[in-house]
Amino acid sequence: MDSILVSIKKLLGIAADYTHFDPDIIMHINSAFSVLTQLGVGPPEGFRIDDDVKTWNDFISDTIRLDAVKSYVYLKVSLMFDPPASSAVLSAKERQISELEWRLNVAAEQDST
């Protein structure tokens, strides 16, 4: 199972069976999906999760872009859920997010032409 919530929790260092932070993490994941929708990535009508049932393939079946989407959602969630104390780490993550947004947007625009 490639659950979106479980995989993001794993990257955040949270055990799959620890559910105390799930509402917060789900809210941040859905915010990242909202941005991806605006960038033209994923279902045109938008996408959201409510629990650990939905998988990455439910959001996007494009396996080439899937890894970038996973990284993007993780980085966005980590900045919102647990922002780094170091300004250097914060700046590095923000640059990674910006690059992924640009690359995903370019790929989405190429698909629409």
Side-chain angles (χ1 to χ4, degrees):
M1 181 167 158
D2 199 14
S3 164
I4 295 167
L5 178 59
V6 171
S7 62
I8 294 299
K9 285 171 63 172
K10 180 181 181 255
L11 289 168
L12 292 171
I14 300 171
D17 60 348
Y18 187 75
T19 60
H20 181 76
F21 295 115
D22 282 8
D24 302 357
I25 296 169
I26 288 169
M27 177 182 64
H28 297 317
I29 289 170
N30 287 333
S31 293
F33 282 139
S34 177
V35 173
L36 286 168
T37 298
Q38 291 175 353
L39 293 173
V41 179
E45 68 279 2
F47 187 84
R48 65 175 288 117
I49 68 167
D50 298 307
D51 49 34
D52 65 353
V53 174
K54 291 190 179 172
T55 67
W56 291 105
N57 284 333
D58 292 331
F59 176 68
I60 185 172
S61 60
D62 182 346
T63 56
I64 293 174
R65 261 189 258 156
L66 188 56
D67 288 333
V69 166
K70 289 178 182 180
S71 295
Y72 176 79
V73 172
Y74 160 68
L75 287 166
K76 290 288 278 187
V77 171
S78 74
L79 282 187
M80 292 183 276
F81 179 73
D82 187 21
S86 163
S87 62
V89 174
L90 175 65
S91 180
K93 284 187 174 188
E94 288 173 336
R95 283 192 309 272
Q96 287 177 318
I97 287 169
S98 292
E99 179 179 349
L100 285 169
E101 285 175 342
W102 182 83
R103 291 184 183 281
L104 287 165
N105 183 250
V106 167
E109 286 179 359
Q110 288 174 344
D111 286 350
S112 67
T113 58

